[in-house]
Amino acid sequence: IVDIACGTAYGSKIFLNTEFNIIAADLDEIQIEQNIINLSNYANISFRVEDILNMSFESNSIDIVLTMETIEHVDPHDMLKECARVLKQDGYIILSTPQNSMKDKCINPHHLYEYSLDELTALVNQYFVIEKVIGLKAGRIYFDNDPIGANSVIFAKKI
């Protein structure tokens, strides 16, 4: 698993006690150094400085790309193309982003754009086959088959 744009490695931590090998990667060198200090006692995680728009991984080399709260900060097409490039055939992307149905009005001023559920699924469907959409209501609260929420989590397979 590559947790790209990992920040504090929140997503990586979900997989620490699994059989997965995790690469926690972020553009912020200082954050990566802090993650090394905080998580160095786990054998299945390593750390790298990486740019989600230009990753150094070989094409078709990664099983799962995890990217949480990232697409709203970057060019979405460049990001999704790069994630598709590094994923193996039948690889998965798991991504999350705030869900916002107010067109052109970002709730967070640091976001380039915040997507409605329809916009996000249309965008992701250009590069992947969506298998599941979760609409997080608050924190971790969600209901199966209800994709509306404050955040979207998408599980999609490489085309």
Side-chain angles (χ1 to χ4, degrees):
I1 296 176
V2 171
D3 181 6
I4 186 69
C6 70
T8 61
Y10 176 83
S12 298
K13 292 173 191 173
I14 295 168
F15 295 96
L16 283 176
N17 294 312
T18 70
E19 72 281 0
F20 291 106
N21 289 317
I22 307 152
I23 300 170
D26 199 282
L27 195 55
D28 184 341
E29 260 183 81
I30 295 169
Q31 184 61 64
I32 290 297
E33 290 170 8
Q34 191 62 50
N35 291 344
I36 291 169
I37 293 166
N38 293 336
L39 299 170
S40 62
N41 55 331
Y42 291 91
N44 67 327
I45 191 166
S46 60
F47 305 91
R48 289 171 64 163
V49 174
E50 291 282 346
D51 181 350
I52 194 166
L53 302 179
N54 186 23
M55 293 183 262
S56 66
F57 303 106
E58 300 266 334
S59 296
N60 305 305
S61 65
I62 305 297
D63 294 306
I64 300 170
V65 170
L66 173 65
T67 181
M68 301 176 72
E69 310 302 302
T70 308
I71 197 168
E72 66 274 11
H73 294 279
V74 298
D75 181 285
H77 293 284
D78 290 347
M79 178 191 135
L80 292 171
K81 279 189 257 186
E82 183 65 359
C83 290
R85 181 190 69 77
V86 302
L87 278 171
K88 292 178 182 175
Q89 198 60 38
D90 295 328
Y92 280 87
I93 185 169
I94 304 168
L95 69 87
S96 68
T97 188
Q99 196 178 108
N100 185 348
S101 59
M102 299 186 308
K103 293 230 182 255
D104 299 322
K105 291 185 172 67
C106 288
I107 294 168
N108 184 327
H110 299 288
H111 294 169
L112 296 178
Y113 192 80
E114 293 173 355
Y115 301 90
S116 70
L117 179 59
D118 289 341
E119 290 171 323
L120 183 64
T121 56
L123 182 62
V124 173
N125 272 327
Q126 293 177 47
Y127 303 92
F128 301 93
V129 175
I130 295 175
E131 294 193 352
K132 186 166 182 86
V133 178
I134 295 173
L136 293 175
K137 307 301 182 196
R140 295 182 182 177
I141 299 170
Y142 73 95
F143 304 101
D144 271 341
N145 302 315
D146 183 0
I148 304 298
N151 279 67
S152 298
V153 180
I154 292 182
F155 298 82
K157 195 175 203 178
K158 182 176 176 178
I159 296 172

